[in-house]
């Protein structure tokens, strides 16, 4: 979870350094800049990224076979061990970068076909040309812009805006060459695969096995690690596995640190306490009020780079609890993010016919790149914390797509139980009240969704909303208007606004 800044064409080092400084929190542990004749590459890292300052490795990381070949990279690989074994890449600092360079040397642009369990943005250069790419789901951010026939790329919007207002989101599932030409290399399926003809018990067992494998492939507790615990199904499963693996490594008396936030004694707070007791974690709570939430909003929107109300509401508690975890010495946070996309957990999906669920699931996953995944990346990265979400797994997603839709949104009486098969997989492992707790977005469970809309409804007059909507029709509420104003104070009213993805409902 690092930051990158690249300029190609007729680059200016001071401009690249300004970009890197704007996103310094993405990697304050170590950073460096490479300057060539027509390209400048800069990268920063967290210690939790596996970087080892002073180990002799040049940054950006270079190929041992070709010192001119370099990579700037932000991502996480779930299948590193398999690929490393196949390509004889030893473990150690910057292991993912070294593997990616080896793949590029062997396969060129076709390397992307091998990154089936990787979330990534990357820029590879030989000093003369560049190859930039962003993963299919768009979990890791990337932006680009042009100035004086020079291409600029950066991990965040605010980075490119240091140089030019002509800024664009780098599209997910595409790669780019030095000319700026974008080429699609992957897309979400348009039809479901053949559904599993397996028993519920078999599918439940497979799900548990895949998720635990995903966790162990991504987490080794080499640096201080804690868990974001809302008491919802997704975070409870991840922290259950985390506590189990933590005790395996450090002994049965060792306790994983877990963190929960609530606006007062919220539902999340009560559920998280129950789970923490069940998994025997060292539990930390942060109880906040409306005043603290309002005070955090300008910073949240600056780091989030969005004004979508649903996203902002859920990002405020994530920002505050991540900051609190950082104060406790945590460098990596475990997250249950991704479960709703993988197992069709959003409540609105229950209103669509079963035969349309696959298409709706793909639509939902399509929101990740400029909406849902921003909270995962930005609200932890801005606190210089690496976040790991084992439910965002290529293997798990591929398996889940073949699960019959009636097991994801399970009809029972006059309603549907979302993520039914996922709940079924852990019904004998987690407390019953947690397993069958109704889905709530993070902002609902934490309590922020119950206070923010009402507050802005009272604070902003009707005529101000009407005037704003006449100029900016995308503004849907007084709450969104307030966030929009904060956003434009930071980033202007030009192309930056067009990079913002809006959730389907308020």
């Amino acid at each position: 979870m690092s930051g990158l800044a690249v300029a190609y064409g007729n680059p200016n080092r001071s401009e690249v350094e300004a970009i890197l400084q704007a996103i310094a929190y993405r990697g304050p542990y170590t950073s460096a800049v490479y300057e060539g004749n027509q390209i400048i590459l800069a990268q920063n890292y967290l210690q939790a990224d596996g970087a080892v300052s002073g180990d002799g490795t040049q940054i950006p990381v270079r190929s041992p076979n070709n010192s001119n070949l370099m990579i700037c990279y932000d991502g996480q690989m779930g299948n590193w061990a398999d690929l490393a074994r196949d390509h004889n890449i030893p473990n150690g600092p910057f292991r993912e970068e070294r593997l990616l360079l080896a793949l590029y040397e062997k396969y060129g642009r076709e390397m992307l076909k091998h990154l089936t369990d990787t979330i990534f943005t990357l820029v590879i250069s030989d000093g003369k040309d560049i190859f930039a790419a962003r993963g299919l789901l768009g979990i890791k951010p990337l932006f680009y812009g042009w100035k004086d026939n020079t291409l600029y790329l950066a991990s965040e919007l605010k980075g490119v805006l240091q140089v030019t207002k002509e800024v664009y989101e780098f599209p997910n599932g595409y790669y780019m060459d030095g000319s700026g030409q974008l080429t699609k290399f992957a897309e979400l399926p348009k039809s479901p695969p053949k559904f599993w003809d397996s028993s519920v018990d078999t599918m439940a067992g497979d799900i548990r096995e895949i998720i635990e494998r995903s966790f162990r492939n991504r987490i080794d507790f080499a640096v201080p690690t804690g868990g974001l615990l809302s008491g919802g199904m997704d975070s409870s499963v991840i922290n259950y596995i985390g506590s189990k693996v933590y005790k395996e490594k450090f002994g049965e008396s060792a306790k994983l640190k877990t963190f929960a936030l609530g606006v007062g004694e919220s539902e999340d707070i009560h559920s998280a306490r129950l789970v923490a007791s069940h998994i025997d974690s060292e539990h930390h709570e942060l109880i906040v009020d409306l005043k603290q939430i309002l005070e955090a909003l300008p910073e949240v929107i600056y780091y989030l780079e969005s004004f979508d109300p649903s996203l902002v509401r859920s990002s405020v508690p994530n920002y505050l609890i991540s900051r609190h975890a950082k104060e406790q010495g945590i460098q990596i946070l475990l997250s249950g993010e991704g479960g709703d996309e993988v197992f069709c957990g959003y409540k609105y999906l229950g209103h669509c016919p079963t035969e349309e669920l696959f298409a709706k699931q793909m639509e939902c996953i399509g929101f990740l790149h400029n909406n849902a995944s921003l909270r995962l990346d930005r609200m932890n990265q801005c606190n210089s914390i690496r976040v790991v979400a084992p439910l965002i797994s290529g293997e798990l997603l591929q398996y889940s797509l073949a699960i019959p839709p009636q097991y994801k949104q399970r009809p029972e009486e006059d309603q549907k139980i979302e993520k039914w098969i996922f709940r079924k997989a852990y019904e004998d492992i987690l407390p019953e009240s947690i397993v069958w707790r109704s889905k709530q977005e993070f902002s609902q469970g934490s309590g922020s969704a119950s206070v923010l809309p009402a507050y802005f409804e009272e604070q902003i007059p009707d005529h101000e909303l009407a005037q704003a909507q006449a100029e900016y029709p995308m503004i849907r509420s007084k709450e969104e208007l307030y966030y929009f104003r904060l956003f434009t104070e930071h980033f202007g009213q030009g192309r930056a606004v067009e990079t913002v993805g809006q959730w389907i409902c308020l």
Side-chain angles (χ1 to χ4, degrees):
M1 308 288 275
S2 51
L4 61 87
V6 174
Y8 178 76
N10 185 26
N12 181 305
R13 183 180 178 114
S14 64
E15 290 179 332
V16 174
E17 289 178 340
I19 294 174
L20 200 63
Q21 181 59 37
I23 58 172
Y25 48 81
R26 296 188 70 92
Y29 178 68
T30 187
S31 66
V33 179
Y34 164 83
E35 184 173 4
N37 291 329
Q38 56 186 349
I39 190 165
I40 298 176
L41 299 103
Q43 176 94 51
N44 60 23
Y45 285 103
L46 300 170
Q47 185 176 10
D49 292 321
V52 177
S53 182
D55 76 325
T57 302
Q58 290 181 297
I59 300 173
V61 178
R62 303 188 182 199
S63 166
N65 305 315
N66 178 1
S67 62
N68 292 322
L69 194 66
M70 295 164 282
I71 185 170
C72 289
Y73 165 69
D74 178 20
Q76 296 176 16
M77 302 185 74
N79 58 343
W80 180 86
D82 292 338
L83 288 172
R85 182 180 59 251
D86 294 342
H87 295 85
N88 298 314
I89 304 299
N91 203 348
F94 306 106
R95 66 182 197 176
E96 294 183 9
E97 288 85 342
R98 290 184 282 107
L99 173 57
L100 291 166
L101 286 170
L103 291 174
Y104 184 77
E105 288 178 288
K106 184 172 183 178
Y107 302 109
R109 295 170 179 175
E110 296 298 304
M111 69 174 287
L112 300 173
K113 293 181 179 179
H114 297 266
L115 306 184
T116 56
D117 197 10
T118 303
I119 58 173
F120 67 92
T121 60
L122 58 82
V123 180
I124 295 175
S125 176
D126 60 2
K128 298 177 181 178
D129 200 359
I130 66 167
F131 171 67
R134 187 183 183 198
L136 173 60
L137 300 183
I139 304 296
K140 301 304 301 176
L142 188 61
F143 294 84
Y144 72 98
W146 294 89
K147 179 184 176 183
D148 299 333
N149 295 316
T150 299
L151 172 66
Y152 291 85
L153 298 113
S155 294
E156 296 187 13
L157 173 71
K158 63 179 67 66
V160 179
L161 287 174
Q162 301 300 310
V163 178
T164 175
K165 290 181 169 56
E166 291 296 306
V167 62
Y168 305 85
E169 181 194 7
F170 195 108
N172 50 307
Y174 280 75
Y175 67 78
M176 177 189 282
D177 60 23
S179 71
Q181 178 69 38
L182 284 160
T183 303
K184 182 184 290 187
F185 68 85
E187 61 183 348
L188 294 171
K190 292 181 169 56
S191 59
K194 182 180 178 181
F195 291 132
W196 299 119
D197 184 20
S198 304
S199 69
V200 167
D201 287 345
T202 297
M203 287 188 289
D206 290 344
I207 288 168
R208 290 192 299 272
E209 181 182 328
I210 293 170
I211 292 174
E212 182 153 338
R213 178 162 56 248
S214 175
F215 186 99
R216 292 178 182 274
N217 285 347
R218 288 164 169 80
I219 292 291
D220 61 6
F221 296 109
V223 299
T225 301
L228 294 169
L229 180 58
S230 70
M233 185 65 191
D234 302 343
S235 69
S236 297
V237 165
I238 294 306
N239 282 281
Y240 155 72
I241 298 172
S243 180
K244 182 176 73 169
V245 177
Y246 194 81
K247 289 177 181 296
E248 286 176 7
K249 181 165 185 174
F250 299 110
E252 280 301 310
S253 63
K255 296 183 182 231
L256 175 72
K257 290 183 178 180
T258 52
F259 297 87
L261 178 141
V263 181
E265 290 285 321
S266 67
E267 186 171 347
D268 273 7
I269 286 293
H270 292 289
S271 296
R273 285 174 188 165
L274 175 61
V275 176
S277 175
H278 182 76
I279 65 174
D280 189 33
S281 68
E282 180 188 317
H283 194 52
H284 299 255
E285 294 179 351
L286 184 62
I287 308 297
V288 299
D289 57 21
L290 176 60
K291 181 176 182 289
Q292 290 167 287
I293 289 175
L294 293 174
E295 289 173 347
L297 281 173
E299 284 191 321
V300 166
I301 289 173
Y302 174 73
Y303 291 123
L304 186 64
E305 300 180 342
S306 177
F307 51 80
D308 177 73
S310 178
L311 181 60
V312 172
R313 282 182 225 132
S314 63
S315 295
V316 174
N318 198 155
Y319 168 75
L320 292 172
I321 196 63
S322 173
R323 187 177 68 182
H324 181 67
K326 179 68 173 181
E327 292 167 354
Q328 308 304 311
I330 295 298
Q331 295 188 35
I332 291 179
L333 277 172
L334 308 174
S335 168
E337 200 76 26
D340 291 322
E341 287 76 16
V342 170
F343 293 109
C344 298
Y346 291 107
K347 294 290 284 187
Y348 81 92
L349 294 174
H351 300 301
C352 70
T354 300
E355 62 273 14
E356 297 177 11
L357 186 59
F358 180 83
K360 288 294 185 181
Q361 183 181 10
M362 294 302 100
E363 179 185 63
C364 179
I365 291 172
F367 283 111
L368 284 169
H369 71 96
N370 65 0
N371 191 280
S373 70
L374 296 188
R375 175 166 66 93
L376 177 71
D377 178 87
R378 307 300 180 79
M379 294 300 95
N380 299 290
Q381 198 73 56
C382 70
N383 291 308
S384 299
I385 285 184
R386 181 179 177 91
V387 63
V388 180
L391 296 180
I392 301 177
S393 151
E395 182 184 9
L396 182 63
L397 178 60
Q398 288 303 311
Y399 186 91
S400 75
L401 294 183
I403 295 174
Q406 65 270 23
Y407 294 131
K408 297 174 185 174
Q409 288 275 341
R410 178 78 165 184
E412 287 200 5
E413 298 179 353
D414 59 346
Q415 62 178 347
K416 290 182 180 178
I417 299 177
E418 73 283 349
K419 293 191 290 197
W420 182 85
I421 187 64
F422 183 45
R423 298 173 186 273
K424 195 74 176 172
Y426 291 91
E427 69 174 345
D428 295 329
I429 295 173
L430 293 172
E432 182 179 4
S433 62
I434 299 300
V435 171
W436 301 108
R437 179 188 177 191
S438 179
K439 159 66 184 174
Q440 288 188 312
E441 292 184 9
F442 187 30
S443 60
Q444 295 171 324
S446 66
S448 60
S450 66
V451 295
L452 287 172
Y455 174 81
F456 292 115
E457 189 63 37
E458 290 184 1
Q459 294 296 311
I460 297 177
D462 293 344
H463 73 271
E464 287 190 18
L465 176 62
Q467 289 173 355
Q469 288 176 324
E471 187 173 2
Y472 298 101
M474 83 284 288
I475 298 174
R476 297 164 291 176
S477 69
K478 294 178 182 180
E479 181 189 11
E480 189 161 29
L481 172 57
Y482 181 82
Y483 302 154
F484 179 81
R485 287 169 173 170
L486 288 175
F487 178 90
T488 55
E489 284 177 13
H490 291 308
F491 308 116
Q493 300 179 4
R495 290 195 179 276
V497 172
E498 298 174 15
T499 67
V500 175
Q502 293 175 289
W503 187 241
I504 57 175
C505 59
L506 290 170

